[in-house]
Amino acid sequence: MKFGKSICVLNVGGTRYAFTREVIKDFPLRRVSRLHACATEKEVLELCDDYDRDQNEFFFDRHSQVFMFIMLYLRSGKLRFVPGVCELSFYTEMLYWGLESVHLDSCCQKRLDDRMSEIGIDTISEMDVGVSGDDSQSSGEQVHDTALTGRAKWLEKMRKTFEEPNSSILAQLLASVSVIFVLVSMIMLCASTLPDWDTAKRNIVEEQRTVEAVCIGWFTAECTIRFLVARSKCEFLRQPLNIIDVIAITPYYVTMALAQAGVPDAGLGVAGVVLRVLRMMRVFWLMKLARHFLGLQTLGLTLTRCYREMVMLMVFVFVAMAIYSALAQLLEHGMDLGIKNPDFASIPASAWWVIISMTTVGYGDVYPVTVGGRVLGGMCVVSGIVLLALPITFIYHSFVQCYQELKLRSARYARNLSVELLQ
């Protein structure tokens, strides 16, 4: 379309923005930049709500304050919710202009997931706001390319590849390889504890060392790359899964260093015990699966958010255990009633019976024999059920909420990945 003036005016909800033709042509939001390529006024009206040829003014009947925040995002690279505006309304405006939830800051993404989980929807279709899928995808990519350029863009792409397994096809391939290495490592660890392993490993010792070295090499390279491309190195070192990675990798290098120093693997001294403990710490590699499986992620997120309830549960159990242990020791061993149960000779010994009774496990290795002890045991079981049920209700609701949030996030990644496959 041949513009009548060199200055183009965008009127968004009554707020006017003036730009030159060159700025409109290369505008980060594709809905706006496509105005420059329109050949007829009909094409213009497909992108905006009205057009004034005399003033060269494009009218958009959208939320002016939200668009102001989007303009600030194009300048600063940070997008947050407008105070007092519904999260879903803001997200709808984002979709109209071609943005996705990934452009929001992490705190606002969580608020959006919570809101969508409350009303029970997985996503808002672009058709609901009059945006085609191609327009939304192209615009989102263009904004992302504008915010991150050069080395920063490459680092962000690498970070998503290693940190977000569902972000791209390459990320899924790397995640699959990592899972295979974890499973191989766990199989080797379990096999090494079999009775016949000592005889068999004499014939396959070199193969075992090679497989172990390859697995450790992969884990080390993966952890190193993720550290180098992390946005914040300090935040990276504080994340629980990254700490687990370091704990799982370090024992191998400590073992190799001790072996080079001449310490035997089967030594009976302190060094030999340390080697065996370090070797068994490789079981922490299983925690790496939390990066790739929704269930483990839900469990970790639930424990993180419900630590107060978990502490409260532990306090309940500890207080009840202290009371019942003292009473059980008194009734079964402390009182001179002609029967002294040796299993309840001390309060710590009685605590074992209390904890397995409160959790309704009941191994049967320790049990009361006096009438008073049996009555106390019944009270212990009933009170244990009640005390454990009280905080578990809160933990359950938090688990469901965390699962819904992670499922929404996973669905969003899957939708982006499907678009990538179609392209």
Side-chain angles (χ1 to χ4, degrees), residues 370-416:
T370 65
V371 176
R374 291 174 179 176
V375 173
L376 181 67
M379 296 173 58
C380 179
V381 172
V382 174
S383 62
I385 294 174
V386 175
L387 291 177
L388 292 175
L390 291 176
I392 284 180
T393 304
F394 298 99
I395 297 174
Y396 166 76
H397 287 297
S398 179
F399 180 87
V400 172
Q401 185 178 11
C402 292
Y403 177 73
Q404 292 295 332
E405 291 179 15
L406 293 176
K407 190 169 69 172
L408 287 172
R409 198 173 305 168
S410 178
R412 191 177 301 120
Y413 282 132
R415 187 174 71 252
N416 294 338

Side-chain angles (χ1 to χ4, degrees), residues 164-179:
E164 301 172 2
N166 295 321
S167 61
S168 64
I169 300 177
L170 179 60
Q172 288 191 345
L173 291 176
L174 290 176
S176 301
V177 173
S178 182
V179 170

Side-chain angles (χ1 to χ4, degrees), residues 317-330 344 347 350-351 353-354 358 375-384 387:
V317 173
F318 178 78
V319 171
M321 186 171 61
I323 296 174
Y324 285 117
S325 299
L327 293 177
Q329 192 275 336
L330 177 63
F344 294 82
I347 292 180
S350 302
W353 169 78
V354 172
M358 291 184 64
V375 173
L376 181 67
M379 296 173 58
C380 179
V381 172
V382 174
S383 62
L387 291 177

Side-chain angles (χ1 to χ4, degrees), residues 178 182 186 216 219-220 222-224 226 235-253 278-291 296-297 299-301 303-304:
S178 182
V182 170
M186 288 300 99
I216 289 293
F219 296 145
T220 304
E222 182 185 21
C223 187
T224 303
R226 289 175 44 246
E235 183 66 24
F236 178 87
L237 296 175
R238 286 197 296 264
Q239 294 180 356
L241 286 180
N242 297 330
I243 296 175
I244 291 174
D245 286 346
V246 174
I247 293 176
I249 294 172
T250 303
Y252 175 81
Y253 295 102
L278 292 177
R279 188 176 294 113
M280 197 55 60
M281 287 179 65
R282 288 181 296 177
V283 74
F284 285 106
W285 285 341
L286 282 175
M287 299 302 297
K288 293 173 66 67
L289 298 178
R291 300 183 185 278
L296 291 176
Q297 295 174 9
L299 178 62
L301 185 58
L303 293 178
T304 301

